[in-house]
């Protein structure tokens, strides 16, 4: 836009410069022409007046000669004076008419000296004797009528010349504007209009996909909501979010992600009708507004078709790209809420679809709204509880199966809620993940566990090690190692538990480096819930854990199924040559204890021995176990 505006400014500036030169030039030419024309007309008038005065003077002189013949006896001095007076008067071109009269006002001689006299006295009037008495008055009448007429003609001609000059100046400027500025300006106006249309389109559409953007959606959604409230047809809103889109960006790059987004846009347009509205509102989120479609059965068919179409893999630079989509649906009919509320309801339904397992759709219901409000309240309370110190550590003993002595412990996070009591991780950890505060909770548990271990040492309790759970996000934190270096970690007595599902077979290079650094800090690794994931034996061996914790899903059926016992025997036979210790969790009966002890499991953990305990209660339990062993 800026270059178009600059060209317009330069063009107008050129036009003003040309006008500043041309208009004064034509006005000066017109004024000079008017001056010379006026001088010419005045000169002509003076010339004609002089000729007429000369002719009249000749006739008067002739009449005086004839008068002199009749009045020789008159005083020559008076005659000479009269002649001198007449000649003086006749020599003045301003005198247009001279009359000689006596006191009785009887005209003796009337000479047509100027243009104003209406009568001419010829010889017939001059044949009578003419006397010049001493008391005769000379009356001179000057007529201004002809002067006024001439001046009026001069003004009229001046007006015509000035008008002609202005007309020529305006015509010249108009021609200059049309030839020099008109066409370029019209072209620039066209460019401005095109630029304005492009700017308006850009402001309402997504530059990557060409779909409508969030602003355009808000406008259309407000219009449709108002139409519904005015008695118009209802509509439905489908809010879609791509599944596993982040992995595509992380593995193949953002160019691949852009190609996926363009493909999704084309797919959604192909799956909708001409009067439906499709928008991309940010990231990997899309919204489809279906006009006049409010039947759940029809919407199920449409949503299913969209999700299946988006689940089809595409090829990007010889790479097969697989992704999917989840959707939330809001139906608007009858009395519609605000446009913002409609979109929020669809988003709530989308969130529930993600929670359900992805690749599906969910219709908005009021119950979902209640859950969202509950999650919001829980989020606020969790943040406040973290600041108030409500997060704490409980410890579950890990027992030697032969002596029943407490050898180690697992640190488990708990939340002492002010009204709901002690909450386990499954009641608030998902909320912590949404708030991105899992790292803070992990760090708190780590520091608290080290402090409690030092306190138990001071009490004389012989606790070999303590294990803390570490999330995969925490392991990928680039600042993890530096933060751990600030903590006084007892070498060989702290274990990090990671889930078997946490990318064991495909360790990113920076995570592998972090694990190596953990070993240098004296921190050992445990694989939690072993047997429930999909990690290969080679992946486990490459990770090099100090311990494997068998999942309770493997331990609980031991007393009822022989195949489960054989499975545990196989795991023991694999772990023993590798020098990997085994911990069994979920031990609830004496039968479990006997089977696992006979199989050679080194540590047992479960409700048979103790539930997770606060630090002080754990210390009392460990001390009691030690005393019982000593007494035995």
């Amino acid at each position: 836009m800026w270059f178009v505006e600059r060209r317009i400014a330069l063009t107008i500036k050129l036009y003003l410069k040309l006008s500043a030169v041309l208009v004064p030039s034509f006005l000066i030419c017109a004024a000079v022409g008017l001056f010379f024309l006026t001088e010419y007309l005045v000169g002509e008038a003076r010339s004609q007046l002089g000729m007429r005065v000369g002719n009249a003077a000749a006739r008067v002189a002739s009449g005086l000669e004839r008068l002199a013949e009749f009045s020789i006896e008159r005083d020559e001095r008076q005659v000479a004076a009269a002649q001198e007076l007449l000649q003086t008067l006749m020599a003045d071109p301003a005198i247009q008419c001279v009359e000689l009269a006596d006191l009785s006002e009887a005209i003796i001689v009337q000479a047509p000296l100027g243009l104003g006299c209406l009568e001419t006295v010829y010889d017939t009037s001059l044949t009578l004797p003419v006397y010049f008495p001493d008391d005769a008055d000379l009356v001179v009448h000057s007529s201004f009528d002809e002067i006024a007429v001439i001046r009026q003609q001069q003004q009229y001609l001046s007006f015509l010349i000035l008008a002609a000059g202005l007309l020529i100046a305006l015509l010249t400027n108009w021609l200059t504007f049309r030839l020099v500025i008109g066409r370029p300006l019209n072209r620039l106006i066209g460019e401005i209009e095109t630029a304005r249309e492009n700017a308006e389109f850009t402001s309402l559409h997504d530059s990557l996909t060409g779909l409508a953007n969030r602003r355009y959606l808000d406008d259309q959604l407000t219009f449709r909501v108002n139409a519904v409230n005015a008695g118009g047809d209802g509509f439905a809103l489908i809010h879609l979010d791509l599944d596993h889109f982040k992995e595509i960006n992380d593995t193949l790059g953002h160019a691949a992600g852009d190609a996926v987004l363009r493909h999704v846009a084309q797919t959604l347009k192909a799956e909708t009708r001409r009067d439906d509205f499709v928008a991309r509102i940010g990231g990997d989120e899309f919204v489809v507004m279906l006009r006049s479609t409010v039947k759940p059965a029809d919407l199920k068919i449409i949503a299913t078709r969209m999700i299946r179409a988006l689940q089809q893999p595409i090829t990007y630079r010889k790479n097969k790209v697989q992704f999917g989509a989840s959707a939330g649906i809001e139906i608007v009919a009858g009395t519609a809420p605000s446009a913002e509320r409609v979109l929020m309801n669809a988003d709530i339904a989308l969130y529930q679809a993600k929670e359900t397992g992805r690749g599906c759709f969910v219709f908005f219901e009021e119950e979902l709204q209640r859950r969202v409000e509950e999650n919001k309240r829980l989020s606020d309370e969790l943040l406040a509880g973290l600041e108030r110190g409500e997060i704490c550590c409980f410890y579950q003993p890990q027992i030697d199966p032969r002596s029943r002595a407490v050898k180690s412990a697992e640190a488990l996070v708990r939340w002492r809620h002010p009204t709901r009591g002690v909450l386990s991780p499954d009641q608030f950890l998902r909320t912590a993940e949404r708030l991105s505060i899992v790292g803070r909770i992990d760090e708190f548990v780590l520091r608290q566990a080290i402090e409690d271990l030092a306190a138990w040492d001071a009490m004389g309790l012989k606790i070999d090690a303590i294990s803390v759970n570490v999330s995969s996000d925490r392991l990928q934190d680039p600042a993890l190692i530096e933060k751990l270096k600030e903590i006084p970690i007892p070498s060989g007595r702290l274990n990090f538990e990671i889930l078997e599902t946490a990318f064991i077979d495909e360790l990113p290079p920076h995570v592998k480096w972090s694990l190596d650094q953990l070993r240098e800090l004296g921190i050992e690794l445990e694989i939690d819930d072993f047997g429930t994931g999909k990690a290969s034996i080679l992946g486990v061996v490459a990770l090099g854990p100090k311990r494997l914790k068998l999942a309770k899903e493997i331990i609980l059926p031991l007393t009822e199924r022989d195949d489960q016992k054989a499975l545990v025997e196989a795991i023991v036979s694999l772990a023993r040559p590798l020098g990997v210790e085994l911990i069994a969790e979920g031990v609830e009966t004496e039968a479990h204890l006997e089977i696992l002890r006979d199989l050679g499991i080194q540590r047992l953990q479960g409700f048979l021995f103790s539930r997770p305990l606060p630090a002080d209660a754990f210390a009392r339990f460990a001390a009691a176990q030690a005393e019982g062993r000593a007494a035995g």
Side-chain angles (χ1 to χ4, degrees):
M1 288 292 295
W2 66 269
F3 65 92
V4 176
E5 295 175 354
R6 179 173 176 81
R7 290 177 61 186
I8 292 176
L10 291 175
T11 303
I12 294 176
K13 187 176 181 180
L14 175 61
Y15 169 69
L16 293 176
K17 287 184 177 180
L18 290 174
S19 298
V21 174
L22 293 175
V23 172
S25 299
F26 282 106
L27 291 178
I28 291 172
C29 292
V32 172
L34 178 62
F35 173 76
F36 283 108
L37 181 59
T38 303
E39 287 296 321
Y40 171 76
L41 293 176
V42 171
E44 284 293 323
R46 288 178 176 177
S47 176
Q48 293 179 5
L49 184 60
M51 293 177 61
R52 295 175 65 179
V53 169
N55 293 334
R59 288 198 299 270
V60 171
S62 177
L64 289 175
E65 288 182 4
R66 296 176 61 185
L67 287 174
E69 294 178 357
F70 292 100
S71 58
I72 294 175
E73 67 277 8
R74 296 289 297 171
D75 191 340
E76 292 182 358
R77 183 179 59 81
Q78 291 181 352
V79 173
Q83 290 177 350
E84 182 179 359
L85 177 59
L86 285 176
Q87 290 176 358
T88 300
L89 294 175
M90 287 187 295
D92 188 351
I95 303 302
Q96 299 184 14
C97 184
V98 178
E99 294 182 354
L100 300 179
D102 59 9
L103 292 177
S104 62
E105 295 184 0
I107 294 176
I108 301 175
V109 176
Q110 185 179 45
L113 301 179
L115 302 176
C117 294
L118 301 179
E119 297 181 0
T120 301
V121 180
Y122 294 102
D123 295 345
T124 56
S125 61
L126 295 177
T127 54
L128 299 175
V130 179
Y131 297 94
F132 292 91
D134 294 336
D135 56 350
D137 294 331
L138 178 64
V139 180
V140 179
H141 298 280
S142 298
S143 175
F144 294 97
D145 293 339
E146 290 197 17
I147 295 177
V149 172
I150 292 176
R151 289 178 178 175
Q152 186 176 4
Q153 291 176 351
Q154 291 175 352
Q155 292 175 356
Y156 178 70
L157 289 174
S158 300
F159 173 77
L160 290 179
I161 293 172
L162 181 61
L166 290 175
L167 181 60
I168 293 172
L170 292 175
L171 180 61
T172 305
N173 275 270
W174 180 80
L175 291 175
T176 303
F177 183 86
R178 291 290 296 173
L179 296 177
V180 179
I181 299 173
R183 292 178 182 176
L185 188 59
N186 288 336
R187 184 168 59 253
L188 288 175
I189 292 174
E191 293 177 0
I192 292 174
E193 184 64 21
T194 302
R196 185 191 64 79
E197 293 175 357
N198 292 337
E200 182 177 359
F201 182 87
T202 302
S203 67
L204 296 176
H205 291 80
D206 174 48
S207 59
L208 178 63
T209 63
L211 297 178
N213 59 15
R214 176 61 182 270
R215 176 187 172 191
Y216 199 2
L217 173 66
D218 290 342
D219 293 342
Q220 289 295 311
L221 197 54
T222 300
F223 174 79
R224 294 298 304 171
V225 165
N226 293 336
V228 171
N229 290 329
D233 295 335
F235 66 95
L237 202 70
I238 301 180
H239 189 177
L240 297 108
D241 183 84
L242 300 185
D243 300 331
H244 312 297
F245 180 73
K246 184 178 183 299
E247 287 83 348
I248 296 174
N249 278 334
D250 293 342
T251 56
L252 298 178
H254 290 281
D258 292 345
V260 169
L261 294 175
R262 286 190 290 266
H263 169 76
V264 172
Q266 295 173 359
T267 301
L268 292 179
K269 287 192 290 187
E271 295 294 334
T272 52
R273 301 165 298 184
R274 182 183 298 272
D275 59 343
D276 293 332
F277 187 84
V278 183
R280 178 192 174 207
I281 61 174
D284 58 346
E285 295 184 55
F286 297 81
V287 171
V288 178
M289 185 164 59
L290 303 172
R291 297 183 173 94
S292 304
T293 303
V294 294
K295 293 182 179 180
D298 296 337
L299 292 172
K300 288 180 180 179
I301 296 174
I302 295 172
T304 301
R305 190 173 66 242
M306 288 181 180
I307 292 175
R308 288 179 178 176
L310 294 176
Q311 289 174 340
Q312 300 301 314
I314 65 172
T315 301
Y316 175 77
R317 294 182 179 177
K318 299 182 180 180
N319 295 306
K320 186 177 181 181
V321 181
Q322 184 79 47
F323 58 95
S326 303
I329 305 173
E330 163 71 338
I331 300 176
V332 181
T335 301
S338 66
E340 182 180 4
R341 182 77 255 178
V342 170
L343 187 58
M344 188 179 300
N345 290 347
D347 186 60
I348 291 172
L350 171 62
Y351 173 79
Q352 185 61 35
K354 292 279 190 180
E355 292 288 308
T356 301
R358 302 175 183 268
C360 62
F361 60 87
V362 171
F363 286 90
F364 173 79
E365 298 175 352
E366 293 299 328
E367 175 62 20
L368 297 180
Q369 176 66 23
R370 188 194 64 77
R371 293 181 195 171
V372 169
E373 293 174 353
E374 175 63 24
N375 289 335
K376 177 63 170 59
R377 181 167 56 253
L378 185 64
S379 298
D380 295 339
E381 292 174 350
L382 180 57
L383 290 173
L386 189 61
E387 297 297 328
R388 292 194 296 259
E390 296 172 1
I391 303 300
C392 60
C393 285
F394 277 40
Y395 301 92
Q396 190 166 24
Q398 294 175 341
I399 306 296
D400 184 323
R402 300 189 182 279
S403 65
R404 294 203 178 199
V406 178
K407 291 297 184 180
S408 55
E410 179 183 7
L412 301 169
V413 65
R414 294 291 187 269
W415 178 13
R416 295 185 185 275
H417 194 278
T419 59
R420 298 169 60 184
V422 178
L423 302 182
S424 60
D426 59 332
Q427 295 176 282
F428 64 87
L429 199 56
R430 297 287 299 266
T431 301
E433 290 175 351
R434 288 195 299 270
L435 296 174
S436 300
I437 60 173
V438 174
R440 293 175 58 187
I441 295 176
D442 284 350
E443 184 174 354
F444 167 79
V445 172
L446 175 60
R447 291 180 179 272
Q448 187 63 49
I450 293 175
E451 290 181 7
D452 291 339
L453 183 60
W456 297 333
D457 289 343
M459 296 170 60
L461 297 176
K462 296 181 179 180
I463 306 300
D464 296 338
I466 192 167
S467 302
V468 296
N469 292 281
V470 179
S471 64
S472 59
D473 291 340
R474 181 72 168 160
L475 287 176
Q476 298 186 73
D477 183 2
L480 173 63
I481 301 303
E482 295 301 322
K483 292 179 179 178
L484 291 175
K485 290 180 179 179
E486 300 174 357
I487 303 174
I489 299 175
S491 179
R493 301 184 67 190
L494 179 65
N495 302 322
F496 273 6
E497 286 188 6
I498 61 174
L499 292 174
E500 182 187 359
T501 55
F503 50 71
I504 289 179
D505 282 340
E506 298 180 357
L507 283 177
H510 63 282
V511 175
K512 188 175 184 304
W513 177 85
S514 296
L515 296 178
D516 293 338
Q517 294 295 311
L518 290 177
R519 293 188 180 92
E520 292 185 7
L521 292 175
I523 300 174
E524 300 292 346
L525 299 179
E526 290 183 7
I527 296 180
D528 195 12
D529 289 342
F530 182 77
T532 60
K534 300 179 181 179
S536 66
I537 298 298
L538 291 177
V540 174
V541 173
L543 185 63
K546 181 68 177 294
R547 297 177 183 84
L548 295 179
K549 181 181 284 189
L550 303 182
K552 61 183 179 181
E553 289 81 2
I554 296 176
I555 302 303
L556 289 176
L558 279 178
T559 58
E560 301 175 357
R561 295 171 52 183
D562 293 337
D563 57 342
Q564 289 296 109
K565 182 177 179 181
L567 175 61
V568 175
E569 288 178 346
I571 294 173
V572 172
S573 64
L574 289 173
R576 186 173 295 148
L578 298 174
V580 178
E581 297 179 3
L582 295 176
I583 301 176
E585 63 178 344
V587 179
E588 297 185 353
T589 66
E590 291 289 340
H592 287 116
L593 169 62
E594 294 176 2
I595 293 173
L596 293 169
R597 180 184 60 201
D598 294 341
L599 290 175
I601 304 298
Q602 289 89 350
R603 297 283 188 274
L604 304 180
Q605 177 179 339
F607 290 166
L608 174 63
F609 309 107
S610 174
R611 292 178 178 274
L613 301 171
D616 54 349
F618 176 87
R620 291 193 297 271
F621 175 81
Q625 290 294 101
E627 291 175 0
R629 179 185 177 191

